[in-house]
Amino acid sequence: MKKKLVMIGNGMAGVSFVEQLLKLNPGRYDISIIGAEPHPNYNRIMLSSVLAGDAGLNEIVLNDWDWYQDNGIALLAGQEAVEVDAAKREVRTDRGAALPYDELVFATGSLPFMLPLPGADKEGVIAFRDIKDCETMMEAAKRYRKAIVIGGGLLGLEAARGLLHLGMEAAVVHNGPFLMNRQLDETASRMLRTELERQGMTFLLNKQSAAITGESRVTGLTFTDGTRAEADLIVMAVGIRPNAGLAARSGVSVQTGIVVNDYMETNLPHVYAVGECAEHRGVAYGLVAPLYEQGAVLAKRLAGAETAGYAGSVPSTKLKVSGVNVFSAGRYTDDPGTRALRVQDDLDGIYKKVVFENGRVVGAVLFGDTSDGSKLFAAIRSGKDYAGSERELLFGPSGGGGKPAGAEDLAAAMSGDEIVCGCNGVTKDMLVDAITEKGCASVPELKACTKASGGCGGCKPLVEAILTSTLGADKVAAVKEGICGCTKLTRDEIVGAIREMRLTTTKEAMHVLEWSNPEGCSKCRPALNYYIGMAFPEEHEDERASRFVNERSHANIQKDGTYSVVPRIYGGVTTPEDLKRIATVAEKYRVPLVKITGGQRIDLLGVKKEDLPGMWEDLDMPSGYAYGKSLRTVKTCVGNTFCRFGTQDAMKMGVDLEKKFERLDTPHKVKLAVSGCPRNCAEATIKDLGVVAIDGGWELHVAGNGGTRVRAAELLTKVKTEEEVLEWTGAYLQYYRETANYLERTSEWCQRVGLDAVKAALADKADRDALNARIDATLGLTRDPWKEIIENAELRSAFETLTAPADAK
Ligand SMILES: Cc1cc2nc3c(=O)[nH]c(=O)nc-3n(C[C@H](O)[C@H](O)[C@H](O)COP(=O)(O)OP(=O)(O)OC[C@H]3O[C@@H](n4cnc5c(N)ncnc54)[C@H](O)[C@@H]3O)c2cc1C
Ligand SMILES: NC(=O)c1ccc[n+]([C@@H]2O[C@H](COP(=O)([O-])OP(=O)(O)OC[C@H]3O[C@@H](n4cnc5c(N)ncnc54)[C@H](O)[C@@H]3O)[C@@H](O)[C@H]2O)c1
Ligand code: SF4
Ligand code: FES
């Protein structure tokens, strides 16, 4: 029987450890992870990039829900571990789950330190640690103007930069005279301040905060010198503390953090700690690179592999503020016994300082030009004696004067064991190996293969340089990006090959097209499944395992692990009978929340997975596909049936459209709407396809979007009859199905291919008829998935034993 491994904390360090353990010994443990945040593991580092507008929240997930399921990991997301009974070897959560363990890992990270100022509990006073904080800042920026960030460290400056991007005034309050005093010397700090002021940030230095003012919401901050500053939002970024309270309460030895030895073992048998919560040789780290090193040691330990112990790390940092290049590693101050080499160029705003002790490099600070960062970091880690050749580190063998080396020259000169990506512990050798042995030929492929550049992104230029110096510039330039790290083929090449070679299963496609990973990944498998189904609807058998988890379960999984059930309500038009049935089902299954959705239907939320088939049966209504890459809703206004302005029957048009195109697999979700006159009450012009009645006919608007990237739809055509609306809609949807990338919304697709190209493809009646013939053939094969499951005992029982990622044991 497998041993039970329970991990508390679903963050970067913990999940990286689990990934490494799975690589070393995949079958050894039954793994459960308890994560207080209602998200799968995401890249916390990238929250700064999200705030600065360089990434979307949807782009920072490191391990999606499918990853947990694919690896047989039970994730209790949105649950907090509140008790550990070390004698009984059991962990309990705030939701009442009890998890027995053979091995227990604390990976609980840190808590942001909140200054205990009077008024610190007011609305608008937050930390910057997780997705929720990020969302709060983005919301606040829509309504308020003045933000104060307390703390001029890495986090505070990145937060302030993000708030500036969001249109707020951002003032940084710092208790010392120099910013980033924990990473920079005075000179670099001054240069940094000048640059950030140029970007619009203001600074209040040498200030001690006294109190936060305001009624229920913050209005300002007072200081001990009697001065005051106005603020609608205060972000505290004054450092972090290891989150070790639960461990301490459980009998684990805690000083600053959870005390561990070189094998990440605590004082209790079978209990370990990894990440920011751990304290190793008196140090609790706050950067990912050391935490990943700890994870690698613990993974080997728990996989039963030989390993040297963890010996501690030299952290290096890079500020993630665009337009500012700052690097710092090791001891950067001029302590007794140290000597420093300095280069300062005020004309170009460049400063470099390398600190030596007995000939060895012990620290470095770079401002303006950080290209020497990796080399200096490697020099610090190696402990090599540079006595007599110190200058060569910055100026090359000639000692200066010559042309400075370009990025590729530097990359070529790096030794193999030098760390290129500090965030992920990737050396030059590992990258060269991925390029020469595994055929990686682009930065995204290297990222997929080694993870390099997947953290703060600071190493991307160096990764590119290594790629170029290893492959040659011509080969890199010729490289196109495949749909994922498993293939170099583009979407068009893949669809072309599927059609030409009649590939009808994902396995066959991956084999014939020589996927580097024979199993594929969570990105390419659903895409292939879609492309094959689109090309050969008759031959293709839908592959459940290649679907995203919501599509596999025909219900949307919620943050607490329950599901939602949304029956089809055509055109938003219902009947008293249907409403009564929905009410009876909601009562029978004790549905905790019944909600009217924005798409004019009814959402039953908080449903247990084992209740799903029974509820579908009792509802006796078709699936609303609220979970699918498929037609979602057709929103309608009342139209001329009741509205005195209406010129056409919007409800009938909407119902007809929904009945015709329901159950259709599409590259991404598709939303339609129909308005009965140009007043457009159904908001049809922000839909994938919106139909608006005009005198004597209808307008068809396409490629709108009402989500994160709001986009008004564009006029595709005007038609006279309802039949023509259906004809144009069918042709348009099929053209989208046949030419869009999987997971590309119509708005993105239309911008990529151009509306004129879409119009040209649909202009000819013969072409529209051909497209309609193909979409009709596909629609003729669809069946309601809920009915299919209810009627098929095998499917039903398989479904009832389906393991949800958020399930307790
Ligand atoms: C905005 C920002 C930018 C950053 N940028 C960088 C950077 O550029 N470079 C760098 O190296 N580092 C950076 N860091 C630091 C880096 O993100 C952390 O070092 C890293 O995420 C720590 O990983 P961890 O797994 O130890 O902790 P965390 O990522 O904090 O994960 C711990 C998880 O455990 C959960 N948890 C805690 N207690 C319980 C419980 N009792 N039950 C269940 N779950 C629990 C928490 O909710 C959390 O999700 C940044 C941090 C922030 C906030
Ligand atoms: N680019 C990166 O590597 C990056 C980015 C963000 C966060 N992080 C990590 O996240 C963690 C938290 O970052 P952080 O910047 O909060 O921590 P930090 O400890 O590095 O910096 C906190 C800063 O706040 C200042 N401060 C403390 N008390 C204050 C007060 N009362 N008033 C004004 N200023 C005060 C300190 O002087 C210090 O400069 C750290 O481990 C950091 O390394 C790293
Ligand atoms: S869009 Fe026109 S027809 Fe429809 S409800 Fe509004 S005013 Fe009435
Ligand atoms: S150094 Fe941060 S991603 Fe490579």
Side-chain angles (χ1 to χ4, degrees):
M1 215 176 79
K2 283 187 192 179
K3 286 182 159 191
K4 289 186 187 339
L5 173 75
V6 173
M7 184 165 81
I8 307 176
N10 186 34
M12 294 181 75
V15 176
S16 162
F17 143 71
V18 171
E19 280 183 326
Q20 303 193 55
L21 176 63
L22 289 172
K23 272 191 202 141
L24 291 168
N25 200 334
R28 188 164 201 188
Y29 296 99
D30 247 343
I31 303 175
S32 301
I33 301 179
I34 308 168
E37 294 185 68
H39 310 285
N41 177 38
Y42 65 88
N43 191 334
R44 201 174 294 287
I45 294 178
M46 297 269 288
L47 289 177
S48 305
S49 311
V50 170
L51 211 58
D54 297 328
L57 274 175
N58 54 348
E59 292 167 56
I60 66 169
V61 171
L62 288 171
N63 303 78
D64 60 16
W65 298 111
D66 283 342
W67 177 83
Y68 295 87
Q69 198 148 29
D70 292 349
N71 288 289
I73 296 169
L75 170 63
L76 283 74
Q79 299 202 33
E80 192 183 336
V82 287
E83 202 183 333
V84 174
D85 186 335
K88 206 170 153 199
R89 291 208 197 150
E90 190 174 270
V91 183
R92 287 188 271 278
T93 75
D94 58 348
R95 299 264 184 91
L99 284 81
Y101 67 82
D102 297 300
E103 312 287 355
L104 174 67
V105 177
F106 280 93
T108 45
S110 291
L111 295 173
F113 179 63
M114 300 301 279
L115 293 173
L117 300 175
D121 55 349
K122 289 193 196 309
E123 195 194 330
V125 182
I126 57 167
F128 181 22
R129 180 72 195 172
D130 53 27
I131 287 184
K132 203 165 119 275
D133 298 327
C134 212
E135 287 172 338
T136 307
M137 281 189 252
M138 293 195 279
E139 272 308 303
K142 290 183 192 155
R143 299 177 50 196
Y144 302 104
R145 269 188 49 225
K146 288 181 189 296
I148 284 185
V149 177
I150 310 182
L154 287 158
L155 186 66
L157 297 180
E158 289 180 12
R161 184 67 194 84
L163 290 164
L164 277 181
H165 163 78
L166 293 171
M168 295 192 85
E169 293 169 17
V172 176
V173 171
H174 190 58
N175 60 353
F178 303 113
L179 299 172
M180 275 178 64
N181 49 310
R182 298 187 57 186
Q183 292 87 14
L184 300 182
D185 68 355
E186 214 180 302
T187 312
S189 177
R190 275 190 213 284
M191 292 172 94
L192 172 67
R193 180 182 163 189
T194 308
E195 176 53 33
L196 293 175
E197 279 174 342
R198 206 188 55 74
Q199 294 194 6
M201 226 177 267
T202 54
F203 295 99
L204 294 162
L205 301 179
N206 284 318
K207 286 279 188 191
Q208 306 298 334
S209 306
I212 292 171
T213 57
E215 294 293 321
S216 61
R217 188 176 179 96
V218 51
T219 54
L221 180 64
T222 60
F223 302 105
T224 49
D225 60 8
T227 56
R228 165 174 206 284
E230 282 178 26
D232 311 304
L233 176 77
I234 292 185
V235 181
M236 291 209 197
V238 291
I240 50 175
R241 304 284 180 271
N243 183 2
L246 174 63
R249 288 201 303 281
S250 318
V252 180
S253 166
V254 170
Q255 286 172 14
T256 312
I258 302 172
V259 179
V260 291
N261 64 14
D262 290 358
Y263 298 95
M264 313 316 291
E265 293 162 337
T266 69
N267 59 316
L268 296 185
H270 306 287
V271 180
Y272 312 81
V274 70
E276 282 188 348
C277 63
E279 177 185 334
H280 172 261
R281 299 189 191 173
V283 184
Y285 294 93
L287 293 162
V288 286
L291 312 181
Y292 284 174
E293 289 178 35
Q294 296 177 351
V297 172
L298 180 58
K300 284 193 187 136
R301 192 68 162 180
L302 286 177
E306 277 291 307
T307 176
Y310 173 65
S313 308
V314 182
S316 77
T317 51
K318 189 182 170 303
L319 181 70
K320 302 192 295 299
V321 167
S322 68
V324 186
N325 290 318
V326 192
F327 170 88
S328 162
R331 285 157 48 198
Y332 57 90
T333 45
D334 301 283
D335 298 331
T338 62
R339 291 189 311 156
L341 180 67
R342 288 187 181 79
V343 176
Q344 187 169 349
D345 172 354
D346 287 336
L347 300 179
D348 281 343
I350 291 172
Y351 174 68
K352 301 183 181 188
K353 173 180 178 182
V354 187
V355 183
F356 296 90
E357 189 174 50
N358 302 325
R360 292 181 173 78
V361 187
V362 293
V365 173
L366 302 172
F367 185 89
D369 172 6
T370 52
S371 54
D372 290 327
S374 302
K375 185 172 57 180
L376 292 170
F377 187 46
I380 298 171
R381 286 166 62 103
S382 70
K384 196 174 144 191
D385 191 348
Y386 285 89
S389 60
E390 289 95 338
R391 283 179 187 77
E392 288 182 14
L393 267 169
L394 284 186
F395 305 112
S398 63
K403 182 171 145 285
E408 275 106 60
D409 299 331
L410 286 173
M414 281 176 80
S415 68
D417 60 354
E418 278 185 52
I419 296 262
V420 177
C421 175
C423 288
N424 295 295
V426 183
T427 61
K428 179 181 167 187
D429 270 350
M430 289 157 80
L431 287 169
V432 172
D433 185 62
I435 297 164
T436 53
E437 302 297 317
K438 298 184 187 133
C440 292
S442 67
V443 174
E445 281 171 1
L446 283 171
K447 179 166 142 190
C449 191
T450 65
K451 290 202 169 177
S453 82
C456 69
C459 60
K460 202 169 164 203
L462 194 55
V463 174
E464 255 160 8
I466 289 173
L467 184 65
T468 313
S469 75
T470 311
L471 265 191
D474 50 335
K475 296 223 178 73
V476 175
V479 167
K480 55 189 179 341
E481 287 185 16
I483 61 162
C484 67
C486 306
T487 177
K488 290 188 194 116
L489 298 176
T490 62
R491 178 259 179 222
D492 289 349
E493 287 168 334
I494 293 167
V495 174
I498 288 172
R499 287 189 191 280
E500 254 166 54
M501 298 187 239
R502 289 200 84 78
L503 307 174
T504 53
T505 66
T506 55
K507 263 240 142 8
E508 191 187 4
M510 290 191 279
H511 177 67
V512 173
L513 302 178
E514 295 179 349
W515 245 232
S516 62
N517 171 7
E519 297 301 318
C521 67
S522 55
K523 211 166 168 187
C524 60
R525 281 202 317 261
L528 282 178
N529 188 45
Y530 169 75
Y531 294 139
I532 296 171
M534 178 269 293
F536 301 115
E538 287 188 27
E539 287 94 327
H540 175 244
E541 265 197 38
D542 187 39
E543 294 171 31
R544 214 179 138 257
S546 297
R547 293 268 186 179
F548 289 117
V549 60
N550 286 342
E551 295 193 308
R552 287 207 291 264
S553 15
H554 295 285
N556 272 331
I557 188 158
Q558 307 297 313
K559 68 181 195 183
D560 61 355
T562 63
Y563 290 82
S564 74
V565 171
V566 183
R568 183 74 68 193
I569 297 184
Y570 296 99
V573 183
T574 183
T575 59
E577 288 71 37
D578 277 350
L579 289 175
K580 275 187 226 161
R581 207 152 353 100
I582 291 171
T584 309
V585 167
E587 278 182 349
K588 174 173 168 188
Y589 292 91
R590 297 172 192 273
V591 171
L593 183 75
V594 182
K595 159 117 185 41
I596 309 287
T597 70
Q600 298 183 334
R601 37 206 203 160
I602 295 175
D603 196 347
L604 305 172
L605 289 140
V607 176
K608 293 201 245 16
K609 76 166 191 296
E610 57 270 26
D611 285 345
L612 287 171
M615 276 182 73
W616 298 337
E617 190 164 22
D618 291 350
L619 278 169
D620 195 21
M621 292 170 77
S623 162
Y625 274 81
Y627 47 80
K629 312 278 173 265
S630 181
L631 175 71
R632 295 279 175 94
T633 54
V634 184
K635 186 170 176 173
T636 64
C637 74
V638 289
N640 68 0
T641 322
F642 284 97
C643 176
R644 59 201 168 92
F645 298 111
T647 56
Q648 325 272 357
D649 190 346
M651 286 191 290
K652 177 172 181 315
M653 186 74 256
V655 172
D656 287 354
L657 281 167
E658 193 159 348
K659 288 207 160 146
K660 168 136 200 202
F661 296 109
E662 67 175 323
R663 300 196 288 266
L664 183 69
D665 275 338
T666 42
H668 209 309
K669 62 186 168 192
V670 169
K671 295 179 180 182
L672 270 53
V674 185
S675 287
C677 84
R679 284 176 177 77
N680 192 13
C681 295
E683 297 156 345
T685 45
I686 51 159
K687 298 294 177 194
D688 294 281
L689 184 136
V691 183
V692 179
I694 50 170
D695 248 354
W698 304 88
E699 282 178 354
L700 266 70
H701 299 260
V702 294
N705 198 329
T708 33
R709 295 189 189 134
V710 180
R711 180 173 194 266
E714 294 179 79
L715 183 66
L716 176 70
T717 190
K718 292 182 190 183
V719 297
K720 291 204 170 65
T721 64
E722 288 182 17
E723 290 68 40
E724 284 173 301
V725 171
L726 289 166
E727 177 202 314
W728 275 84
T729 304
Y732 173 75
L733 287 178
Q734 183 65 7
Y735 189 58
Y736 165 57
R737 295 183 75 234
E738 291 180 2
T739 54
N741 297 326
Y742 186 63
L743 294 189
E744 191 174 35
R745 288 294 296 267
T746 57
S747 54
E748 297 158 326
W749 164 71
C750 213
Q751 285 177 78
R752 181 171 60 81
V753 301
L755 182 65
D756 287 343
V758 177
K759 281 183 174 169
L762 306 184
D764 224 337
K765 171 93 169 82
D767 291 336
R768 291 200 300 280
D769 287 348
L771 286 160
N772 269 303
R774 296 201 286 276
I775 203 168
D776 287 346
T778 303
L779 286 166
L781 297 164
T782 62
R783 286 211 56 207
D784 182 73
W786 289 357
K787 248 200 180 68
E788 219 169 357
I789 293 166
I790 298 162
E791 287 169 2
N792 181 320
E794 200 183 325
L795 275 181
R796 188 171 180 150
S797 72
F799 191 86
E800 283 170 0
T801 53
L802 178 90
T803 319
D807 265 359
K809 293 263 137 160

